[in-house]
Amino acid sequence: MAPSTKSGPKGKQGKVTQKFIINASQPASDKIFDVSAFEKFLQDKIKVDGRVGNLGDVVQISQIGDGKIEVIAHINFSGRYLKYLTKKFLKKQQLRDWLRVVSTSKGVYELRFFNVVNDEAEEDEE
């Protein structure tokens, strides 16, 4: 077999652009979620090439609209990694018991409240 040339995925790595949106407008409007603190948390914690604080021009994090954060990555970047960091922030803020992270569509994550009202109604029926 002839050795393969290295014009595969390595050549395309610099041209990948991915856009993710984290929608926290619902808890932000109820004043229990600080969007700017979450934005700073992401800037401090996102790793690029195995190092934190290494964002440079490769990853841009910005606030758009009411309680929405947009992450634009020009490298291969996992949406699950954003979900993981969001859950970590919720745990740190002690909001993990009330909020959950749900993927509504490709590249879009939303913070939603647990349906506590339905659970109480089920307990009354028993």
Side-chain angles (χ1 to χ4, degrees), residues 76-105:
N76 284 338
F77 197 80
S78 171
R80 296 280 302 167
Y81 182 51
L82 275 180
K83 185 174 181 177
Y84 162 76
L85 287 174
T86 305
K87 289 165 118 177
K88 195 170 180 174
F89 179 77
L90 290 175
K91 181 74 172 172
K92 185 178 167 188
Q93 300 292 320
Q94 298 171 344
L95 295 171
R96 192 81 174 89
D97 295 335
W98 291 281
L99 294 172
R100 63 187 187 146
V101 185
V102 179
S103 176
T104 54
S105 64

Side-chain angles (χ1 to χ4, degrees), residues 44-76:
D44 293 344
K45 295 290 183 178
I46 288 181
K47 287 185 178 181
V48 176
D49 295 330
R51 295 172 57 204
V52 293
N54 192 19
L55 296 181
D57 295 333
V58 181
V59 178
Q60 287 130 7
I61 303 166
S62 59
Q63 228 174 303
I64 53 170
D66 299 341
K68 289 186 181 179
I69 289 186
E70 181 181 51
V71 179
I72 299 173
H74 300 294
I75 57 170
N76 284 338

Side-chain angles (χ1 to χ4, degrees), residues 18-50:
Q18 294 173 304
K19 181 177 170 183
F20 299 97
I21 294 176
I22 301 172
N23 184 359
S25 55
Q26 190 179 11
S29 64
D30 290 346
K31 305 276 193 283
I32 64 166
F33 188 82
D34 188 5
V35 180
S36 55
F38 179 55
E39 181 183 8
K40 182 172 181 354
F41 176 82
L42 287 178
Q43 287 176 344
D44 293 344
K45 295 290 183 178
I46 288 181
K47 287 185 178 181
V48 176
D49 295 330

